[in-house]
Amino acid sequence: MKSQFYRGLLLSAAIILPAQAWAQTEAPQAESAAVDEIVVTSARATQRSSIETKRTASVIVDGIVNDEIGALPDNSVADTLERITGVTADRFKGNANELSVRGLGPTLSFSTFNGREVSTAGPDRSVAFQQFPSELVNGVLVYKSQQADFLEGGLAGVIELKSIRPIDYGRRRIQMEVRGAYLPKDDDIRGRNGLGYRGNISYTDSWDTKLGEMGVSIGYQRLDQATPEDYYITNSAFVPCTTYAAAPGTSTANCSNAATAPTGSTIGPRYFATSARTFQAKVTDEVRKAVMGTFQWKPTPNLDISLDGQYSTRNSGERRNQLAITEGLRGIQPLLVGDGGDYSNGALMRYSGNSNLEIQLENRQRNEKYIGGGGAVTWTPTERLTVSGDLSYSQSHRTELQKATNMRSANRVAYTLDATGDEVPSVTFTNFDVSDPSNFLIATPTNNSNYARYRQVTDRFDKIGAVRADVTYELAEDGFFQSIKFGGRLSDHRRTQDANNNADVNLPVAYDGRTPAQLVAAANANCRTPFVNSNFMDGKGNVRSWALFDNDCLFRTYTGRDSNPLPSNAPGPEDSNIRERISTAYVMTNFRTQLGDTPVSGNAGVRYVRTRVLSKGFRGEVTVTPSTGGSAAIVIRTPGTPLEEIEGTGGYEYFLPSANVAFDLSDVMKLRLAAYKGLSRSGIEDFNVGITPVADANGTTVESVLVNSTTGNPNLKPIRGWNLDASLEFYVNRDTSFAVATYYKWLTGAAFDAREPLPTTIIANGQPVTFNAIAPANDPNTRELYGIEFSGNHAFTYLPGLLSGFGVSGSLAITEADFEFADPSTVGPYVDPANLIGLSKYTGNGSVFWENDKLSLRASYRYRSNYFKPNSGSNRSVKGSGFLNLSATYDLTKQVQLKLQALNVTNTRDIMFKPGEDSITEVSDNGPQIYFGVRMRF
């Protein structure tokens, strides 16, 4: 497979490099001699505009700006943002997705498009930037300090995406691009060739008319390709064990602790085991479409009116084919346990056990739609007065359907698992061939031994409507205060979540005269299919293939139909209807003065924020049986009783002062200082007031049985705090800059996975019962976060000949914090608390490029160290990793450019772990991606 990858690279090089040689030999000698300066093209033009944007900004900012729409050499805006100092991305299906700024996690950044808040289809407030194709965005900025007229919500930073303004662009442009995609990992799939494509077309123009200047910009993009992924994953919860079975491979004992040790078991060192281990091969597809457009009209020089809109859809499908060890805690005999030397403490590196094995099939279809846009008016009635207004709307909608079946082994199978060779373990099964379908046939099916599940797991709708107004008045030019600006904003944010509409069949129901056993036997015989992957996990571990069945065929055989009807109205405690209304007002002044020979400029102001939350959810009557005589307590939904819709409210008000000061210490050196108070709101679904009943098995009263039940908290406050920033910047020339920035944050109110008892009421055994449910809570402690960033850009234009085409850019960020999030699972007492979500102590990126007037070559490397990413009620971390991307463009003519990209050429995998670095919970292998195509500009 690697040979195919390199053949793809060589083929693309064979297209571009001879074209470069042809152009050099055909160029007239006289013309070549007349050229005495480098023609600024893609990489250097972007570098220059980005340097200038940073130099002239009123706050501490980093960005990537290019006036040529579509010139950014990335597949999504998230990829572009990862090249900005202090910005790192979490990865999803091999691509950059949710972003962290300065280590504060994706939920603490705030994202805008053309200055407007962006809705999201995810469970929290973090924006999935994959919905914005880089071809239709011409600039991305990350504001790292704030001023009073910024939208509040980004303690970490404000991420702003910019689309083109056609009148300001000032010229006509028609651009088309088509790129083929070659994905080696998808080429490993039976019946697939690894090919896909993405294409876009955009048009920008402006005119002088009798009604004034008018301009339009519109672009369309379509992507159709796979998102390949091989997967190894364990159950989300690990269990601490100190005993093991006396007779490994045959014992029925589960792992346990000394106090509950089965007779004959042996006490040993503590190790962390998990209840299930799964190998997953996927067949995937994805279609994305996006349209973005702007209409700009200047009827008079002092009136600017613009309308813009964005529309995108993303339809992604997965066919999951899994081999699962479903009883990973059963009959464990530890053979190698980590002791902090070669392997992390408690890591179960090699062991034997016995378990049922399952072939699990699942089809997932996720559909997402985003609509955004608005209108803006800027009026300058006098030279000093500017009035502007903006009306905006943004909505996101996500649905996801799942269809699943399985086949189970007739008996439990003894096995030995060895994870010493790779994060993907090797497994030896005793007298059992996992590739033989007949081994996965139960003579007498039982509940869940052969299921047919059909579920709508997500139907999430998020929309934001907002209106804002701003007034700026320019004061006397010779005074200290240069201008005063004030304004306000009203927004209405609504989130509805309808989850877990399930239509499950846990055991085939007899039909057409066939018993469940006969249906299962028929399915096993008639639904067999060859294994899908010829190179699973690139040969890591020894599990390369297993028996496989067709999911649709199994479902049809089990149920007699292609799908199960979903409940028409099935509210549950996880469903929510939340409304968040925000009112803000601000006042700000810009100032300028001299301190001796040093020019000083900046701004100062204050922003007032008022937020009100109304949350609606569902609670149902429960029947509680307390523990008596050592029996386990239970709680169930009372049959035949309806769910009741209830309401909860919350709110808060804050003043957020800010100040930014810039000192022009010399022609090339600038010092910036900033101080501000900011906030970032809690995840909106944390406001849900529904109750999910969970029993404490040892509870002896109704109230004590219910104490593990969970709910939300509509009165959660945002995380908030003071921030100090300093940035020393050097602008040596338009091709060279470097900067050192440091920051310190005092933060309170963090609500990430923090929990506290919250008094609440539910109907239990026919009576209202008040008890303490587990709910999200604000951290009462003040936490500190501090860091330093180094960044630089340089082009070697002064060197002779070919060397003058080189340029470099890079950054390094080091961040520390003292957050502590204890693991809420059973391993919590044995592991250190986690730090802030998304916090990588070290993040860095570096790029080297070479270009002349036709050819541009770039290599970019991105790295981030370990970071915390919680999952399913336990702490989980992502291993540090680096990714190398290569790109090349060649201007065949002034209108035609050839393009080549190779992403993740080092074939880096995404690896997650808990509760130690060698207790692996997830390995995702996506492989490299190659794109090759042509861009035409007229």
Side-chain angles (χ1 to χ4, degrees), residues 377-391:
V377 177
T378 301
W379 178 43
T380 309
T382 69
E383 290 185 355
R384 294 189 173 184
L385 180 65
T386 301
V387 181
S388 62
D390 188 275
L391 182 67

Side-chain angles (χ1 to χ4, degrees), residues 618-634:
F618 296 94
R619 302 183 182 185
E621 184 174 339
V622 295
T623 298
V624 178
T625 304
S627 173
T628 57
S631 64
I634 59 173

Side-chain angles (χ1 to χ4, degrees), residues 656-683:
L656 306 176
S658 62
N660 293 270
V661 184
F663 301 86
D664 291 319
L665 302 178
S666 70
D667 291 341
V668 300
M669 185 166 55
K670 175 172 284 192
L671 172 65
R672 300 183 193 269
L673 302 176
Y676 64 93
K677 188 175 184 181
L679 62 80
S680 288
R681 295 181 172 86
S682 303

Side-chain angles (χ1 to χ4, degrees), residues 309-324:
Q310 307 87 41
Y311 173 83
S312 69
T313 62
R314 180 183 179 193
N315 302 321
S316 58
E318 292 183 0
R319 298 201 302 276
R320 299 183 173 188
N321 308 292
Q322 302 182 156
L323 171 66

